[in-house]
């Protein structure tokens, strides 16, 4: 995998005569009365974000957490630059309800935009506080002071350190966002690739994950779930577990069954015996997998027109096209099953969790356990795989329920593989219907987009209790109502509004509250399916207009940054407008601005298709990304590469299989993912814009990659597939 980083100067050299318009972000103080930027708005106190320690270190507090995206490394770079200290002085504490600000969930590619922005302003303002103290101490003016690694120096060589001034620094005050931020030319760390803080333990077998934590006196727990969503517990023979080696406690509360043991293998054996001891009554509650999209569209839906322009009367079109695209239920498929550790002691509960939102989790734990919120502490520890709302929150309640029966000893609960696949909330199935009209000049004059989908978030929220075990208790809690994530970010309708400029368009979100299968947030939410549909349809319309797909996109765009990433990806991929198709080898293109708010990404992908087997393989991907100011280029490249690889897996392999009675995908055999030999060669071009604000980038690649693969397969074979995943039997069926 390779990468190229283009600065503002490098754009012109690489792309010839391309002109790029910049709107430079101000680096001065915020206007009076303007809402505080980023996460400062909800957490305005400076000492909520950092503490200057007398021992020469700086403790940084953040509610955003490390999910493998390298965010803590980037935060250290931001703090080091704004405070003028070396990164080695920084101690990071993240996601701890007893210590850090409440920043909600780490999701939606918002950590740099919100958490990073808050830290920049908090550090800049703290630096001003310290400089003003130094002015009095050194008898000079602020403009004559210089700072080097926390040492403030005045003319004549007199100096004082942050650490000496720290006892006098009053940081328990609200931020004003009035302190000037460092200019890009003054950055020492922002914009440079720095080694990830979280990597060494992960590659050396150290204690990197919550799964690795060992506490004194720790016990081990396992859960035995019902065999299906609606199964009723008819009988349970607890006596079968008596006398099993190491068993400390057996917990039954309604349909919730769990076991606690001295050793992990004893807990696993106890789980097996729990399953044999329970008798269940089942009913076929799931829809038929053969008509899931028809079934979803038959359910009651609320319709929301999220974009409309150009009037009600369609313009005259020379040619009209319509197409329907679908996306199946998709699992998170975390490599490491969900895990948590809980300890009840002196009436208080501590939970070590890889939840993406420790504060919302704490609220739901309090509801499920009938506890005072102040007696629960949730502490983030990294998990080995996430990408949205998987079982991390659910297993935290599992651990807490077992810890209540463990006499103050901590209990570690790790889900088994069939727990993870069978009970996690999946990415929702979706249907997208598109209609487009072309005029005589080959321009799109009419565009209609309809998307049918469930909610894309059933994370812990203010209403109800969204933890799995809470629904199985003898006194079950009710889940919160399904939520619509509002535009402009959107949920199921994320990226449904095209960035292209069409004279008439209408985009409708058909929101389906009823969820026949448990669903929630999966990386990119609805953007994956919506971008797949839009970008596939753009190729179909380009073909009808007898136009090159890249040129066709450019003729419908006015955004100079969108134009730049498309040209960069096409240029570095060696795009050839007249490349012959139908040879079994093809090249496809995809583009989107994630959420229409965050990073721009364009990608060209090469595929090879075996017509006999129907097997398609992505061989090369060349992507260009514009995420504004880049804090850690290597981190951005890692995220883009990972997004491409994950999307290749989703697009060519992944779907949750089920019957009317059960979830059938319960292991890797029933839910295959991409293997190492199937990973394409990847090249990432970063269009760095130091003067622009940073844009979220972690989920920018999923939709464009899926579309580029679909378009490449169409180019390679002459066959257009519109139903994800693009698996061999669908290709063979399309070949006839």
């Amino acid at each position: 995998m390779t990468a190229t980083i283009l600065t503002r100067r490098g754009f012109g050299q690489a792309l010839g005569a391309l002109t790029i318009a910049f709107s430079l972000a101000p680096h001065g103080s915020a206007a009076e009365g303007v809402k505080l930027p980023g996460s400062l708005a909800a957490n305005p106190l400076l000492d909520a974000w950092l503490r200057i320690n007398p021992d020469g270190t700086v403790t940084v507090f953040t509610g955003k957490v490390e999910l493998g995206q390298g965010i803590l490394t980037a935060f250290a770079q931001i703090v080091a630059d704004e405070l003028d200290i070396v990164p080695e002085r920084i101690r990071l504490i993240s996601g701890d309800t007893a210590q850090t600000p409440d920043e909600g969930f780490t999701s939606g590619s918002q950590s740099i935009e919100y958490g990073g922005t808050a830290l920049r302003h908090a550090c800049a303002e703290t630096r001003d506080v310290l400089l003003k103290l130094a002015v009095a101490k050194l008898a000079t003016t602020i403009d004559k002071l210089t700072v080097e690694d926390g040492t403030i120096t005045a003319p004549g060589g007199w100096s004082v350190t942050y650490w000496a001034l720290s006892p006098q620094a009053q940081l328990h005050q609200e931020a004003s966002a009035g302190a000037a931020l460092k200019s890009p030319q003054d950055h020492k760390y922002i914009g440079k690739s720095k080694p990830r803080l979280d990597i060494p333990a992960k590659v050396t077998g150290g204690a990197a994950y919550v799964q690795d934590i060992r506490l004194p006196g720790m016990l081990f727990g396992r859960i035995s779930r019902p065999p299906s969503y609606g199964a009723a517990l008819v009988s349970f023979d607890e006596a079968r577990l008596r006398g099993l080696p190491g068993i400390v406690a057996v917990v039954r509360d309604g349909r919730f069954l769990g076991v606690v043991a001295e050793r992990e293998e004893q807990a696993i054996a106890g789980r097996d015996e729990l399953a044999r001891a329970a008798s269940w009554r089942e009913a076929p509650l799931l829809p038929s997998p053969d008509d899931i999209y028809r079934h979803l569209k038959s359910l009651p839906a609320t319709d929301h027109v999220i974009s409309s322009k150009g009037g009600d009367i369609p313009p005259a079109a020379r040619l009209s096209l319509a197409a329907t695209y679908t996306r199946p239920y998709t699992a998170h498929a975390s490599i490491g099953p969900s895990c948590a550790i809980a300890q009840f002691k002196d009436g208080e509960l501590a939970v070590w969790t890889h939840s993406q939102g420790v504060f919302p989790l704490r609220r739901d734990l309090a509801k499920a356990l009938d506890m005072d919120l102040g007696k629960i502490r949730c502490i983030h520890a990294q998990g080995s795989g996430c990408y949205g709302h998987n079982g991390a929150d659910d297993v935290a309640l599992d651990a807490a329920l077992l810890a209540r029966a463990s006499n103050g000893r901590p209990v570690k609960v790790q889900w088994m593989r069939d727990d993870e696949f069978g009970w996690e909330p999946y990415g929702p199935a979706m249907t997208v219907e598109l209609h487009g009209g072309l005029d005589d000049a080959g321009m799109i004059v009419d565009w209609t987009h309809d998307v049918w989908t469930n909610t894309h978030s059933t994370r812990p929220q203010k209403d109800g209790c969204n933890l799995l075990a809470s629904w199985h208790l003898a006194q079950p809690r009710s889940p919160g109502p399904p939520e619509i994530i509002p535009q402009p970010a959107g949920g199921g309708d994320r990226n449904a509004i095209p960035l292209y400029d069409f004279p008439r368009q209408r985009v409708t979100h058909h929101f389906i509250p009823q969820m026949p299968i448990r669903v929630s947030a999966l990386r990119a939410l609805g953007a994956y399916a919506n971008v797949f549909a839009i970008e596939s349809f753009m190729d179909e319309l380009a073909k009808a207009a007898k136009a090159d797909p890249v040129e066709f996109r450019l003729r419908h765009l006015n955004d100079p940054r969108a134009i730049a990433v498309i040209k960069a990806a096409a240029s570095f991929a060696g795009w050839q407008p007249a490349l012959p198709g139908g040879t079994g080898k093809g090249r496809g293109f995809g583009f989107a601005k994630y959420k229409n708010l965050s990073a721009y990404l364009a990608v060209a992908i090469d595929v090879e298709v075996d017509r006999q087997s129907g097997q398609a393989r992505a061989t090369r991907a060349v992507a260009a990304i514009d995420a504004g100011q880049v804090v850690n280029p290597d981190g951005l490249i890692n995220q883009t590469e990972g997004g491409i690889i994950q999307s290749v897996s989703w697009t060519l392999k992944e779907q949750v299989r089920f019957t009317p009675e059960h979830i059938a995908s319960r292991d890797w055999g029933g839910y295959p993912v991409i293997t190492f030999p199937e990973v394409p060669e990847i090249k990432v071009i970063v269009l760095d814009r130091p003067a622009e604000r940073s844009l979220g980038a972690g989920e920018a690649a999923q939709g464009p990659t899926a579309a580029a693969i679909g378009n490449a397969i169409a180019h390679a074979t002459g066959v257009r597939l519109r139903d994800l995943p693009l698996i061999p039997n669908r290709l063979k069926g399309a070949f006839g």
Side-chain angles (χ1 to χ4, degrees), residues 411-441:
V411 179
K412 173 185 171 184
V413 177
Q414 182 166 307
W415 278 10
M416 305 294 283
R417 177 57 54 194
D418 61 321
D419 291 323
E420 192 77 36
F421 273 125
W423 287 97
E424 67 145 275
Y426 308 116
M430 298 174 63
T431 296
V432 180
E433 292 183 358
L434 294 177
H435 173 275
L438 294 170
D439 66 8
D440 290 335

Side-chain angles (χ1 to χ4, degrees), residues 500 531-532 534-536 538-539 549-550 553 557 562 565-567 569-570 575 587-593 600-605 622-624 700-712:
Y500 300 105
V531 174
F532 169 72
I534 290 169
E535 289 295 290
S536 296
M538 287 295 288
D539 259 40
V550 170
R553 285 167 171 79
L557 282 168
V565 293
I566 288 175
K567 288 190 172 183
W575 184 267
R587 178 171 292 174
F589 203 85
F591 158 78
K593 181 183 182 184
Y600 300 80
L601 185 138
V603 61
I605 292 185
V622 179
Q702 278 71 14
T705 298
I709 292 172
N711 291 333

Side-chain angles (χ1 to χ4, degrees), residues 39-40 43 45-50 59-62 101 103 115 118-119 122:
S39 298
L40 275 180
N43 306 278
L45 294 175
L46 294 178
D47 61 358
W49 297 95
L50 73 160
T59 303
V60 174
F61 307 96
T62 172
E103 293 190 77
L119 279 173

